C-alpha cells in the first residue's frame, strides 16, 4: 500500500537504476584514469568542465536529470508519441546531410552552438519506440511476411541513412532489433539463414575459395543423397538443395568479393582482414587502393587492436591499479576514452576487473529481459527487448573489438565510453523502459 | 498474444550467455594464459635511461688534477618538432650551410627516428656554445635543445701519452665485455684510462622513465622506485709531478724521442713523455675526430707512446750493466783496463772507440766515464767466453740471464696497456741467423749496447733504478693509490712488491760502477753539461747508430742521443732515461734534457739561465729529414689505394699535377765522423709495424 502512495518511485525498478549508476561511475573513473595528468587538482578539475572526466560528469548530471523527467512523465506519452519520435529521428538523420560538420572523418554530426549532436546515435531510441509501437498494434499478425517486411523496413531505413553518413558501426546496431522481432514471432529460419550467411561469409574470408567450394559441394551432395535415399518421391527437396548449393557457391565465389571490392570502403576491408589476421587477397582489393595501403610509414591497420590487446593483456589477473596502466595512461591505444575505454579497465583492474564489468552488464541484460517478460503490454515488452538487444550488441561488439574478436567498428561501450550523446541516448533508452515498467500493472496495452 | 513465443526468451538469454562466455574466454587467454603482454607493455612504455657516472679524476703527487671532467654540450634535435625554425640563422651560428642542415636532420631521423632526440652537433666548441646559448630561445620550442655531457679535460695540457684517451665503445669492445658495455658508453681506449678503466668508470645508473606513444619521455616510472643511482668513478693518486711532465713534454717539442723519470725507491713514474708531443685536450671533445685522423696518418706517429713502445738500441747506456755483469762474473775487476787506441782489435773487424788518448780506459772507472768501446767489447767477450762456464753459447745464456734480471728483454709490466718487450735475443736466434757458427766476436757490439739488443726507454730507466737501489726495484708504475681503496682492488698489489733482482751482485761492485757513472758527469762524456750545484748525478750517455730503408736504399741516419742517469748519488730520488732520435751525441741533447729534469725535480725550480736553456731546446727542431719523403710516400700510396677503390681521380689529382715535386730527402747535417762500424746493428724502424699494416691495406 505504501508503495502505491510514493508517487514517482512507485513501481520503479530500483535495481536497474543502481546498475545504471554503477556503470556510469565506472565510466567516469575509467575516463579519469585515462586523462588525469599528474599534479592536477582532482576535485577542482572534476568541477571545472575542462577535463574529459569532468565533462562526462556534467553529461551524467544532465542525463540523470533528464531521466528523472522521463520518470515523471506518463508512460502513455511514449506509446502515443512513438511514431512522432520516429518521424523526428528520420528528419534529423536527413538534416545531417546538408548540415553536418566534419568531425574526425564522420559525416554524422550536427553542430549548433558549442554542442555536437549525433542523430544516428539518438535515433536508436526512436526506432526502438517505433518498432515496439508497430509490433504492439492490436490487429497485427506478425506471422505474415508483409508485416515482417514492414518491421524490417522500420529498422533498416535509419540504418541505411546511417551508412550513408559513413557510420557503419552505428548502422549495424539496428540489426540487433531482429532479436526483438525474433522474440515476437519472426520465424527462426530467418535468424538461422542470417547466421548461416554470416558463417558462410566468414568461411569465405578464412578458407581458400577452391577448398571451400569443394567442401560445399560435398556437403550438398551428401545432404542430397541422404534425402534422396529417405524419400525418393520428393524431388522438390532435391531441387531446393541444388538451389541452396548454387547460392552458397555463388556468394562464396562472386558475392563476397564483389561486396568487398565495390561496396565497402578500403579501410573497412583492412579492418576486417586485420581482425582475422590475414593479408588482403588480391580479388578483394579495390583497384587503386593497393598503392595507398602499402604507403611506407602508414601505421599498421591493426595498430589499435594490437595496442588494445597489449593493454588488456598486460593487466594480468589483478591489474596494475588505477592510474598505473602505462598503455592507457600514455596514449598508446587510440580513442581510448571513447571506443577503447574497455582497455583502461582491462589494464588497471586485470581479469578480475573485466570479469566484474562483464558480470555487471550480464546482470543488467538479464534484469532487462526479466523486466520484459513480466510486462503485460506488448509495447513495453517489445521496447524492453529492444533496449536489451541494443545494449547487448554494443557491449559485445565493443568488447570483442578491443580484444581482437571483431573488426574495429566505432561504437561506444554503453554508459562507460566518453561522449555526451551516447550517454544521453542510453540513459533515455533505459529510463523510458523504467517508466514503462513502473506502469506495468496499469493497463493492458 | 503470442504466448507460444515465451520460450524464445530463454534462447535470447542463451545467446547472451554464449557471447559473454566467448568474451570471457578471450579475456582469460589475453590476461592470464598468454602472459606475453606484460613484457610488450613494458617495452612500449618503459624507457631505461642509462645515467652515465662521471669518470674518476687523476691527481698528480701534489694532488693537482691531471685529468678532470668538464661539462660540454651537445645540440640535440627532435626532427618531428622542427617547425618554423630560422634555419639560415641557426646555420650561421653553427657555421654550416642549409644543405648540411638538411642532411643532418635526415641523419638524425635515420639514426633514432623522427620522435626521439638525436645529436645535431656533438660537443660544441666554446664559441659555438656561447653563441647558441644566447640564441637558444629562438629554437627551444622548435625541436632543438642543449644536452650536457661530461668530457675529459687536461688542465695542464700535459700527459697525453700516459693518460690515453676515452672514446665511444665499438662493437669489438661490446662483444668482448660480454654485455657489460653498451653502445654509447665511453671507455678508456689507451693509457691509464684503459688500464684503470674499471676504477675510473664508476657504476652506471639506470633511470626508468615512461614514454608515451610517440616515444616522448613523460616522467619517471613508479616515482623512480626502481632507479639505480650512478656511482661516479674513483680517483687515482699518481706519482706524476705534472710540472715535471710539462717540462718533459716541452723539451720534446719537435723531436722524436722519449723521456721517462722514475722514483727509484718506489718505482713511481714521475714523468713520461713521448715525442712528438701533443696537447691531450685535442683528443677530447669536439676536435677528437679531426685530430685523431690527422695523428693516425702522420708518419712521425704522435700517438705512439715511445716511452713504452719505442725500441731503441740502448747503446752506451748499457755499459754500466755490462760492467756489473763482468764484475759479478769475476772476469774484470775495478782495476781492469785496456790499452785503447781508438778501436777494439780483439776481433777480425775492429770496434771503433770515440776516444783514443791514453788513460781513458786505464781502469773500470775511467772506462765508464769515457765510455770506452774497447773496454766494454772486451768485457762482453770475457763474460760470454768465461772458461768457468764452458762454451760461448752457455756463456751467452748466462749473460742473457743477467740482462733479463736487469729488466731487459721482457715487458716490465708498467700500468699501461701494450708495453713492448725490447729485444735480448736468445741463443737460438743467433744459431738461426749464423747457422750455429757464431762466437763472441760475431755479436761483440752487444757489449756496447748495439747488435740485436733493443730496449724501451722505460727499461733503461728501470735499469738505472736497479743500479741506484743496488739490486732491487719496484715495477715502474703511475698509480700510488686508488681513492677509497678496498681489499678488492688487487691491481696495485703487484706494484707494491719489492723485486730483488735474481742475480746477486755485491754492493762493492755497484759502488765501483756508480763511481764511474758519477765520473761521467765530472770528467767523462757528460762533463760538458753545466753542473747543478749541490747535486751529484750518476749518469751514462749513449749514442746509438741507426738507419732506415727509404726508396729502396738504406739510409744512415744521425745517431740517437741517449742519456740515462739517477740523482742524487747519495740518496737517489729520480732515475731518468732520455732518448732523442737522431739527436747525435748523448751529451748534446738527451743529457741537458735530463739535467733540466733533475734540477726541476730536486730543487723545485730552474735557475734563470736554465729556463733559457729549456726554451733553446724546446725551440730546436730535430725532426728527421726523411719524414716529409716518407709522408709523401704513404700519402700517395694511400691516395692510389682509394683511387683504385673508388675510381675517383680526385684522390690522386694532387700527385699527377705537373708542377708538383715530391719533397726530397733532406741531407743530414753534421753527422758524427767517428762511429762504431763492424756489424750493422738491427735497425730500429719506428714505422716498421705501421708500414706493414699499411702495406696490407694499400696494395
Amino acid at each position: 500500500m505504501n508503495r502505491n502512495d510514493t508517487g514517482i518511485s512507485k513501481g520503479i525498478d530500483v535495481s536497474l537504476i543502481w546498475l545504471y549508476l554503477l556503470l556510469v561511475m565506472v565510466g567516469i573513473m575509467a575516463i579519469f584514469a585515462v586523462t588525469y595528468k599528474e599534479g592536477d587538482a582532482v576535485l577542482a578539475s572534476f568541477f571545472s568542465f575542462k577535463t574529459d572526466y569532468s565533462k562526462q560528469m556534467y553529461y551524467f548530471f544532465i542525463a540523470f536529470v533528464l531521466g528523472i523527467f522521463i520518470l515523471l512523465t506518463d508512460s502513455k506519452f511514449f506509446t502515443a508519441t512513438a511514431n512522432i519520435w520516429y518521424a523526428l529521428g528520420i528528419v534529423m538523420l536527413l538534416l545531417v546531410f546538408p548540415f553536418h560538420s566534419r568531425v574526425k572523418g564522420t559525416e554524422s554530426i550536427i553542430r549548433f552552438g558549442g554542442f555536437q549532436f549525433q542523430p544516428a546515435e539518438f535515433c536508436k531510441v526512436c526506432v526502438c519506440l517505433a518498432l515496439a509501437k508497430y509490433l504492439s498494434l492490436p490487429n497485427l499478425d506478425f506471422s505474415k511476411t508483409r508485416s515482417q517486411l514492414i518491421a524490417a523496413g522500420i529498422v533498416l531505413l535509419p540504418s541505411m541513412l546511417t551508412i550513408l553518413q559513413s557510420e557503419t558501426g552505428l548502422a549495424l546496431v539496428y540489426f540487433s532489433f531482429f532479436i526483438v522481432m525474433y522474440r515476437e514471432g519472426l520465424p527462426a529460419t530467418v535468424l538461422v539463414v542470417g547466421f548461416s550467411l554470416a558463417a558462410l561469409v566468414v568461411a569465405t574470408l578464412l578458407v581458400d575459395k577452391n577448398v571451400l567450394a569443394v567442401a560445399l559441394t560435398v556437403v550438398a551432395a551428401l545432404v542430397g543423397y541422404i534425402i534422396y535415399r529417405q524419400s525418393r518421391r520428393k524431388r522438390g527437396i532435391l531441387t531446393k538443395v541444388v538451389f541452396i548449393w548454387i547460392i552458397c557457391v555463388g556468394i562464396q565465389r562472386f558475392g563476397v568479393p564483389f561486396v568487398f571490392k565495390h561496396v565497402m570502403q578500403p579501410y573497412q576491408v583492412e579492418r576486417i582482414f586485420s581482425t582475422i589476421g590475414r593479408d588482403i587477397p588480391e580479388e578483394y582489393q579495390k583497384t587503386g587502393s593497393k598503392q595507398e595501403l602499402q604507403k611506407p610509414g602508414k601505421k599498421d591497420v591493426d595498430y589499435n587492436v594490437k595496442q588494445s590487446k597489449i593493454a588488456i593483456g598486460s593487466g594480468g589477473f589483478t591489474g596494475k591499479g588505477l592510474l598505473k596502466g602505462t598503455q592507457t595512461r600514455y596514449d598508446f591505444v587510440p580513442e581510448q576514452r571513447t571506443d577503447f575505454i574497455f582497455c583502461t579497465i582491462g589494464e588497471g583492474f586485470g581479469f578480475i576487473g573485466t570479469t566484474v564489468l562483464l558480470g555487471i552488464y550480464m546482470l543488467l541484460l538479464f534484469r532487462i529481459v526479466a523486466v520484459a517478460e513480466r510486462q503485460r503490454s506488448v509495447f513495453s515488452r517489445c521496447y524492453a527487448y529492444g533496449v536489451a538487444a541494443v545494449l547487448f550488441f554494443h557491449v559485445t561488439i565493443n568488447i570483442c573489438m578491443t580484444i581482437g574478436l571483431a573488426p574495429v567498428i566505432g561504437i561506444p561501450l554503453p554508459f562507460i565510453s566518453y561522449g555526451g550523446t551516447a550517454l544521453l541516448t542510453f540513459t533515455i533508452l533505459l529510463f523510458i523502459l523504467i517508466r514503462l515498467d513502473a506502469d506495468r500493472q496499469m493497463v493492458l496495452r | 498474444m503470442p504466448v507460444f513465443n515465451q520460450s524464445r526468451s530463454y534462447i535470447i538469454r542463451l545467446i547472451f550467455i554464449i557471447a559473454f562466455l566467448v568474451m570471457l574466454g578471450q579475456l582469460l587467454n589475453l590476461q592470464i594464459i598468454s602472459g606475453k603482454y606484460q613484457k610488450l607493455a613494458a617495452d612500449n612504455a618503459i624507457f631505461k635511461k642509462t645515467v652515465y657516472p662521471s669518470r674518476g679524476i687523476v691527481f698528480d703527487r701534489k694532488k693537482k688534477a691531471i685529468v678532470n671532467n668538464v661539462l660540454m654540450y651537445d645540440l640535440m634535435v627532435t626532427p618531428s618538432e622542427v617547425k618554423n625554425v630560422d634555419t639560415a640563422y641557426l646555420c650561421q651560428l653553427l657555421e654550416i650551410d642549409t644543405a648540411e642542415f638538411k642532411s643532418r636532420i635526415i641523419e638524425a631521423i635515420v639514426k633514432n627516428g623522427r620522435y626521439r632526440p638525436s645529436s645535431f652537433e656533438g660537443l660544441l666548441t666554446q664559441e659555438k656554445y656561447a653563441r647558441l646559448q644566447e640564441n637558444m630561445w629562438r629554437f627551444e620550442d622548435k625541436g632543438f635543445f642543449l644536452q650536457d655531457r661530461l668530457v675529459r679535460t687536461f688542465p695542464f695540457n700535459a700527459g697525453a701519452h700516459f693518460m690515453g684517451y676515452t672514446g665511444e665503445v665499438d662493437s669489438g669492445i661490446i662483444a668482448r665485455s660480454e654485455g657489460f658495455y653498451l653502445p654509447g658508453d665511453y671507455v678508456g681506449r689507451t693509457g691509464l684510462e684503459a688500464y684503470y678503466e674499471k676504477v675510473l668508470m664508476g657504476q652506471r645508473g639506470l633511470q626508468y622513465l615512461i614514454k608515451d606513444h610517440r616515444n616522448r619521455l613523460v616522467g619517471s616510472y613508479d616515482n623512480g622506485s626502481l632507479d639505480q643511482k650512478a656511482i661516479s668513478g674513483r680517483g687515482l693518486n699518481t706519482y706524476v709531478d705534472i710540472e715535471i711532465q710539462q717540462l718533459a713534454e716541452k723539451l720534446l717539442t719537435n723531436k722524436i724521442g722519449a723521456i721517462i723519470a722514475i722514483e727509484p725507491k718506489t718505482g713511481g713514474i714521475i714523468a713520461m713523455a713521448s715525442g712528438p708531443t701533443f696537447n691531450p685536450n685535442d683528443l677530447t671533445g669536439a676536435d677528437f675526430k679531426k685530430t685523431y685522423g690527422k695523428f693516425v696518418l702522420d708518419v712521425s706517429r704522435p700517438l705512439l707512446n715511445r716511452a713504452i713502445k719505442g725500441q731503441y738500441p740502448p747503446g752506451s747506456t748499457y755499459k754500466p750493466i755490462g760492467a756489473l755483469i763482468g764484475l759479478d762474473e769475476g772476469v774484470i775487476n775495478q782495476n781492469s783496463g785496456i790499452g785503447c787506441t781508438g778501436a777494439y782489435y780483439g776481433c777480425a773487424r775492429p770496434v771503433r772507440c770515440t776516444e783514443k788518448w791514453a788513460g781513458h780506459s786505464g781502469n773500470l772507472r775511467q772506462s765508464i766515464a769515457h765510455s770506452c768501446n774497447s773496454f766494454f767489447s772486451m768485457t762482453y767477450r770475457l763474460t760470454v767466453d768465461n772458461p768457468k762456464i764452458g762454451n760461448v753459447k752457455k756463456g751467452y745464456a748466462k749473460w742473457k740471464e743477467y740482462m733479463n734480471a736487469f729488466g731487459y728483454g721482457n715487458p716490465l709490466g708498467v700500468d699501461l696497456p701494450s708495453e713492448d718487450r725490447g729485444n735480448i735475443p736468445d741463443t737460438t736466434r743467433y744459431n738461426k741467423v749464423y747457422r750455429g757458427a757464431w762466437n763472441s766476436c760475431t755479436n761483440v757490439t752487444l757489449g756496447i749496447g748495439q747488435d740485436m739488443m733493443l730496449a724501451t726507454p722505460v727499461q733503461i730507466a728501470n735499469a738505472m733504478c736497479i743500479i741506484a737501489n743496488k739490486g732491487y726495484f719496484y715495477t715502474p708504475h703511475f698509480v700510488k693509490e686508488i681513492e677509497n681503496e678496498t681489499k678488492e682492488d688487487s691491481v696495485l698489489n703487484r706494484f707494491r712488491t719489492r723485486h730483488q733482482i735474481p742475480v746477486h751482485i755485491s754492493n762493492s761492485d755497484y759502488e765501483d760502477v756508480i763511481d764511474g757513472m758519477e765520473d761521467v758527469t765530472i770528467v767523462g762524456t757528460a762533463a760538458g753539461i753545466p753542473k747543478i750545484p749541490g747535486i751529484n748525478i750518476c749518469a751514462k750517455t749513449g749514442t746509438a747508430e741507426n738507419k732506415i730503408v727509404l726508396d729502396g736504399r738504406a739510409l744512415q741516419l744521425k745517431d740517437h742521443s741517449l742519456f740515462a742517469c739517477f740523482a742524487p748519488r747519495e740518496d737517489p730520488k729520480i732515475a731518468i732515461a732520455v732518448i732523442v732520435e737522431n739527436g747525435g751525441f748523448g751529451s748534446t741533447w738527451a743529457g741537458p734534457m735530463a739535467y733540466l729534469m733533475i734540477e726541476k725535480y730536486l730543487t723545485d725550480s730552474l735557475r734563470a739561465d736554465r729556463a733559457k736553456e729549456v726554451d733553446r731546446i724546446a725551440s730546436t727542431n730535430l725532426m728527421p729529414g726523411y719524414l716529409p719523403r716518407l709522408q709523401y710516400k704513404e700519402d700517395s700510396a694511400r691516395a692510389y689505394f682509394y683511387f683504385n677503390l673508388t675510381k675517383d681521380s680526385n684522390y690522386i689529382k694532387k700527385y699527377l699535377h705537373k708542377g708538383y715535386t715530391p719533397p726530397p730527402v733532406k741531407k743530414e747535417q753534421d753527422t758524427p765522423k767517428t762511429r762504431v762500424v763492424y756489424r750493422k746493428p738491427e735497425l730500429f724502424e719506428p714505422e716498421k709495424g705501421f708500414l706493414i699494416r699499411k702495406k696490407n691495406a694499400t696494395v
Side-chain angles (χ1 to χ4, degrees):
Chain A
M1 279 295 119
N2 237 349
R3 276 174 71 201
N4 289 348
D5 299 334
T6 45
I8 178 179
S9 65
K10 191 187 80 182
I12 297 285
D13 193 287
V14 186
S15 60
L16 281 179
I17 294 185
W18 279 121
L19 286 170
Y20 164 77
L21 290 176
L22 189 61
L23 284 169
V24 174
M25 289 311 137
V26 169
I28 294 176
M29 181 204 66
I31 295 164
F32 173 75
V34 172
T35 48
Y36 172 74
K37 295 277 172 270
E38 250 106 87
D40 286 357
V42 179
L43 216 63
S45 53
F46 248 116
F47 293 100
S48 67
F49 199 68
K50 276 176 189 145
T51 52
D52 286 339
Y53 45 91
S54 153
K55 282 184 189 171
Q56 180 79 353
M57 199 178 66
Y58 281 104
Y59 292 147
F60 161 65
F61 288 156
I62 295 166
F64 197 66
V65 168
L66 204 69
I68 288 170
F69 269 116
I70 289 168
L71 292 185
L72 288 173
T73 55
D74 193 327
S75 63
K76 282 176 206 149
F77 172 73
F78 297 105
T79 34
T81 55
N83 290 336
I84 301 170
W85 280 112
Y86 186 71
L88 194 72
I90 297 294
V91 168
M92 278 199 297
L93 275 180
L94 289 172
L95 274 177
V96 168
F97 290 100
F99 293 115
H100 74 81
S101 61
R102 270 209 162 265
V103 179
K104 269 195 253 161
T106 155
E107 294 163 9
S108 64
I109 288 175
I110 301 179
R111 189 176 271 184
F112 41 86
F115 291 93
Q116 294 177 352
F117 185 66
Q118 200 173 12
E121 190 76 64
F122 180 70
C123 205
K124 278 179 275 195
V125 182
C126 308
V127 173
C128 200
L129 284 170
L131 184 68
K133 177 83 180 175
Y134 178 73
L135 291 176
S136 64
L137 284 178
N139 49 0
L140 182 82
D141 183 2
F142 198 57
S143 57
K144 278 185 185 164
T145 319
R146 187 170 161 274
S147 29
Q148 289 169 1
L149 283 177
I150 289 173
I154 291 172
V155 168
L156 293 180
L157 174 67
S159 174
M160 290 306 136
L161 290 173
T162 314
I163 286 180
L164 290 177
Q165 296 166 7
S166 317
E167 278 288 351
T168 328
L170 288 179
L172 286 174
V173 173
Y174 292 102
F175 283 89
S176 62
F177 286 114
F178 279 97
I179 292 178
V180 184
M181 293 183 224
Y182 169 71
R183 170 64 184 84
E184 292 309 313
L186 190 72
T189 32
V190 177
L191 286 194
V192 170
V193 168
F195 271 118
S196 309
L197 213 62
L200 183 65
V201 170
V202 171
T204 310
L205 298 178
L206 282 177
V207 186
D208 182 80
K209 56 180 180 177
N210 293 327
V211 173
L212 187 62
V214 171
L216 283 172
T217 314
V218 169
V219 169
L222 271 175
V223 171
Y225 178 71
I226 291 163
I227 288 170
Y228 182 74
R229 281 286 297 277
Q230 280 187 348
S231 48
R232 291 179 187 229
R233 279 162 209 168
K234 287 184 181 171
R235 294 276 160 107
I237 292 179
L238 212 61
T239 330
K240 271 184 194 164
V241 168
V242 172
F243 183 67
I244 290 169
W245 172 76
I246 288 172
I247 287 182
C248 283
V249 173
I251 287 173
Q252 176 251 327
R253 297 228 80 143
F254 307 107
V256 175
F258 178 83
V259 170
F260 271 73
K261 209 166 179 175
H262 298 287
V263 179
M264 283 201 258
Q265 299 291 327
Y267 76 89
Q268 291 167 333
V269 179
E270 275 174 37
R271 284 179 182 179
I272 288 168
F273 274 99
S274 81
T275 304
I276 60 172
R278 275 181 71 191
D279 292 332
I280 304 170
E282 222 156 276
E283 68 254 34
Y284 294 148
Q285 278 177 8
K286 281 209 168 191
T287 37
S289 69
K290 204 175 173 185
Q291 288 86 353
E292 196 198 333
L293 293 180
Q294 289 170 349
K295 215 184 269 174
K298 201 174 172 221
K299 258 186 190 173
D300 290 347
V301 279
D302 56 348
Y303 173 83
N304 290 15
V305 178
K306 207 159 92 186
Q307 295 298 341
S308 158
K309 277 162 91 175
I310 292 175
I312 295 169
S314 66
F317 186 68
T318 52
K320 299 177 188 171
L322 188 71
L323 297 176
K324 295 268 174 64
T326 52
Q327 270 305 100
T328 44
R329 292 278 291 139
Y330 301 104
D331 305 339
F332 284 97
V333 189
E335 299 296 330
Q336 52 189 324
R337 295 163 305 147
T338 53
D339 296 347
F340 282 90
I341 192 79
F342 187 68
C343 301
T344 315
I345 291 144
E347 192 179 22
F349 301 101
F351 185 67
I352 294 176
T354 51
T355 311
V356 166
L357 185 64
L358 280 180
I360 295 174
Y361 275 122
M362 240 356 219
L363 276 178
L364 183 67
L365 287 176
F366 270 70
R367 186 68 206 154
I368 292 173
V369 172
V371 164
E373 288 299 332
R374 75 183 180 197
Q375 300 304 318
R376 294 159 74 187
S377 110
V378 180
F379 178 84
S380 300
R381 187 178 64 223
C382 288
Y383 182 79
Y385 267 108
V387 173
V390 168
L391 288 180
F392 169 70
F393 188 86
H394 269 94
V395 171
T396 311
I397 296 299
N398 181 285
I399 293 179
C400 282
M401 166 179 107
T402 59
I403 58 181
L405 290 181
V408 177
I409 48 174
I411 58 169
L413 191 59
F415 308 117
I416 290 188
S417 283
Y418 171 75
T421 318
L423 184 61
L424 220 56
T425 310
F426 286 119
T427 307
I428 292 169
L429 205 61
L430 190 68
F431 275 79
I432 291 177
L433 171 66
I434 295 169
R435 178 68 262 173
L436 290 173
D437 176 56
D439 292 340
R440 64 184 177 274
Q441 310 288 359
M442 264 177 61
V443 271
L444 193 65
R445 266 185 294 267
Chain B
M1 182 100 186
V3 183
F4 55 89
N5 283 335
Q6 186 92 44
S7 61
R8 291 195 170 180
S9 128
Y10 297 107
I11 292 174
I12 290 170
R13 283 182 232 210
L14 191 69
I15 293 172
F16 288 179
I17 288 175
I18 290 169
F20 275 72
L21 285 180
V22 167
M23 287 189 274
L24 216 55
Q26 172 74 343
L27 285 170
L28 192 73
N29 173 31
L30 286 180
Q31 299 190 301
I32 295 169
I33 297 168
S34 161
K36 68 179 177 183
Y37 291 100
Q38 265 98 342
K39 196 189 169 300
L40 286 174
D43 288 351
N44 256 350
I46 297 173
F47 175 67
K48 287 185 200 166
K49 188 188 172 196
T50 315
V51 184
Y52 293 102
S54 60
R55 265 181 103 76
I57 299 166
V58 180
F59 299 99
D60 84 339
R61 58 168 59 216
K62 289 169 185 164
K63 264 291 185 186
K64 290 182 214 162
I66 305 172
V67 187
N68 212 329
N69 298 311
V70 69
L71 212 52
M72 283 190 87
Y73 292 88
D74 292 347
L75 181 63
M76 307 293 284
V77 65
T78 313
S80 67
E81 290 166 26
V82 178
K83 269 164 209 152
N84 308 322
V85 177
D86 189 350
T87 315
Y89 191 65
L90 185 63
C91 288
Q92 194 192 327
L93 290 177
L94 292 174
E95 295 159 19
I96 56 173
D97 54 19
T98 32
E100 171 75 14
F101 178 89
K102 272 180 200 153
S103 79
R104 282 189 193 181
I105 294 280
I106 290 165
E107 195 185 319
I109 294 172
V110 170
K111 220 169 164 186
N112 277 331
R114 198 171 277 278
Y115 301 108
R116 227 181 292 192
S118 328
S119 166
F120 187 77
E121 177 155 333
L123 304 171
L124 298 161
T125 57
Q126 284 299 319
E127 306 99 70
K128 279 187 189 175
Y129 172 67
R131 266 182 306 195
L132 265 176
Q133 179 74 328
E134 276 174 27
N135 292 293
M136 220 39 222
W137 56 272
R138 287 171 206 269
F139 311 111
E140 229 143 26
D141 293 334
K142 293 165 185 170
F144 287 93
F145 66 95
L146 290 169
Q147 162 100 56
D148 51 329
R149 238 175 74 178
L150 284 174
V151 172
R152 288 303 230 186
T153 181
F154 295 75
F156 292 93
N157 298 321
H161 285 104
F162 70 80
M163 269 320 301
Y165 56 90
T166 53
E168 210 172 322
V169 288
D170 57 30
S171 51
I173 296 176
I174 294 170
R176 259 175 279 134
S177 72
E178 287 166 357
F180 179 76
Y181 289 109
L182 304 167
D185 279 356
Y186 269 65
V187 66
R189 301 299 291 269
T190 57
L192 292 179
E193 295 270 27
Y195 198 91
Y196 292 99
E197 168 66 19
K198 285 220 171 75
V199 179
L200 291 171
M201 184 196 163
Q203 213 172 321
R204 268 189 306 247
L206 208 54
Q207 227 177 332
Y208 286 81
L209 297 172
I210 287 196
K211 58 185 186 186
D212 68 3
H213 65 301
R214 291 184 136 188
N215 269 329
R216 293 175 299 208
L217 298 177
V218 288
S220 66
Y221 177 69
D222 211 4
N223 286 327
S225 61
L226 295 171
D227 292 2
Q228 294 157 16
K229 269 200 166 170
I231 301 168
S232 40
R234 286 179 292 165
L236 299 175
N237 291 329
T238 65
Y239 289 98
V240 173
D241 186 326
I242 195 64
E243 285 179 31
I244 306 295
Q245 177 70 26
Q246 277 178 311
L247 175 69
E249 292 190 14
K250 190 173 180 189
L251 292 172
L252 279 175
T253 320
N254 280 325
K255 290 160 200 75
I256 297 183
I259 298 180
I260 172 159
I262 304 176
E263 192 174 63
K265 294 221 162 59
T266 57
I269 296 173
I270 298 159
M272 179 188 273
S274 169
T277 55
F278 62 90
N279 186 339
N281 287 317
D282 290 347
L283 283 184
T284 62
D287 294 330
F288 178 84
K289 262 186 196 166
K290 212 173 73 188
T291 325
Y292 188 77
K294 203 177 82 189
F295 284 170
V296 162
L297 299 182
D298 193 336
V299 287
S300 66
R301 303 193 62 195
L303 289 175
L304 187 74
N305 185 358
R306 290 180 164 83
I308 56 164
K309 300 279 298 172
Q311 307 197 62
Y312 299 92
S316 306
T317 58
Y318 152 77
K319 284 173 184 167
I321 293 127
L324 282 171
I325 298 169
L327 286 171
D328 195 51
E329 282 294 289
V331 295
I332 56 167
N333 58 44
Q334 53 171 317
N335 298 319
S336 306
I338 191 170
C340 173
T341 56
Y344 175 68
Y345 295 104
C347 294
R349 298 178 69 178
V351 181
R352 289 270 197 90
C353 180
T354 40
E355 315 282 343
K356 52 177 95 171
W357 49 280
H360 79 268
S361 55
N363 58 26
L364 174 69
R365 196 166 166 168
Q366 282 174 356
S367 301
I368 293 176
H370 299 291
S371 192
C372 179
N373 284 345
S374 310
F375 181 84
F376 286 99
S377 301
M378 176 196 75
T379 308
Y380 168 75
R381 288 197 63 205
L382 288 173
T383 308
V384 296
D385 288 338
N386 192 349
K388 269 191 272 175
I389 294 170
N391 60 27
V392 64
K393 278 158 203 177
K394 281 181 187 163
Y396 180 82
K398 183 79 188 165
W399 176 82
K400 181 171 180 286
E401 209 175 283
Y402 276 104
M403 288 305 285
N404 290 344
F406 275 99
Y408 286 97
N410 284 315
L412 288 173
V414 179
D415 50 357
L416 292 178
S418 69
E419 185 195 352
D420 269 355
R421 65 187 312 131
N423 186 27
I424 303 296
D426 213 335
T427 44
T428 50
R429 174 103 171 95
Y430 280 111
N431 286 338
K432 206 178 158 194
V433 173
Y434 298 104
R435 300 204 170 92
W438 58 279
N439 58 33
S440 59
C441 269
T442 321
N443 51 22
V444 65
T445 50
L446 281 174
I448 57 169
Q450 301 257 337
D451 202 76
M452 291 193 200
M453 188 195 294
L454 291 175
T456 61
V458 72
Q459 284 173 339
I460 299 173
N462 186 53
M464 287 301 123
C465 290
I466 296 171
I467 298 173
N469 290 334
K470 301 198 176 92
Y472 73 88
F473 72 102
Y474 289 91
T475 307
H477 60 285
F478 283 96
V479 175
K480 190 189 274 174
E481 64 204 359
I482 297 167
E483 264 182 5
N484 305 323
E485 205 172 308
T486 60
K487 276 187 180 162
E488 285 153 37
D489 295 314
S490 56
V491 63
L492 289 179
N493 295 350
R494 196 160 63 80
F495 301 118
R496 288 173 181 155
T497 13
R498 177 172 149 150
H499 300 283
Q500 198 70 38
I501 62 169
V503 287
H504 184 75
I505 299 170
S506 70
N507 263 7
S508 64
D509 291 348
Y510 280 115
E511 286 296 340
D512 290 341
V513 171
I514 291 169
D515 279 344
M517 287 175 71
E518 193 179 1
D519 277 357
V520 169
T521 65
I522 300 166
V523 295
T525 47
I529 307 168
K531 306 277 175 301
I532 307 167
I535 296 169
N536 298 323
I537 301 172
C538 304
K540 186 70 199 77
T541 57
T543 308
E545 240 184 29
N546 67 100
K547 62 178 179 180
I548 64 156
V549 178
L550 190 63
D551 298 344
R553 283 180 297 130
L555 198 66
Q556 184 78 40
L557 296 174
K558 197 166 154 183
D559 293 343
H560 291 332
S561 170
L562 284 86
F563 198 81
C565 63
F566 62 88
R569 177 190 168 150
E570 301 75 28
D571 177 25
K573 289 200 171 86
I574 184 168
I576 298 182
V578 179
I579 285 160
V580 180
E581 280 187 34
N582 312 112
F585 286 114
S587 54
T588 320
W589 295 110
M593 287 179 177
Y595 269 55
L596 290 166
M597 297 275 294
I598 291 169
E599 182 171 346
K600 174 86 180 166
Y601 182 69
L602 292 181
T603 68
D604 225 9
S605 62
L606 288 173
R607 288 163 289 158
D609 64 320
R610 294 294 87 195
K612 270 184 213 155
E613 172 76 355
V614 171
D615 290 335
R616 182 186 74 87
I617 295 174
S619 60
T620 311
N621 188 344
L622 287 175
M623 296 299 271
Y626 64 85
L627 282 178
R629 173 71 190 165
L630 194 63
Q631 186 76 56
Y632 167 78
K633 282 188 72 179
E634 287 232 336
D635 287 351
S636 53
R638 194 180 304 112
Y640 186 69
F641 170 73
Y642 283 114
F643 164 68
N644 265 343
L645 208 68
T646 60
K647 301 291 171 208
D648 179 357
S649 62
N650 276 332
Y651 282 109
I652 53 166
K653 215 164 157 187
K654 181 177 149 193
Y655 302 98
L656 298 175
H657 191 262
K658 264 184 188 168
Y660 182 78
T661 45
V665 181
K666 275 194 213 146
K667 272 264 166 164
E668 293 283 342
Q669 298 135 5
D670 59 324
T671 35
K673 279 159 201 148
T674 46
R675 62 159 47 98
V676 178
V677 279
Y678 193 45
R679 235 190 64 77
K680 303 285 183 290
E682 195 170 66
L683 296 172
F684 171 67
E685 295 176 20
E687 282 76 30
K688 195 174 172 186
F690 179 65
L691 277 175
I692 290 163
R693 191 152 48 79
K694 284 287 150 186
K695 212 175 270 171
N696 293 338
T698 46
V699 184

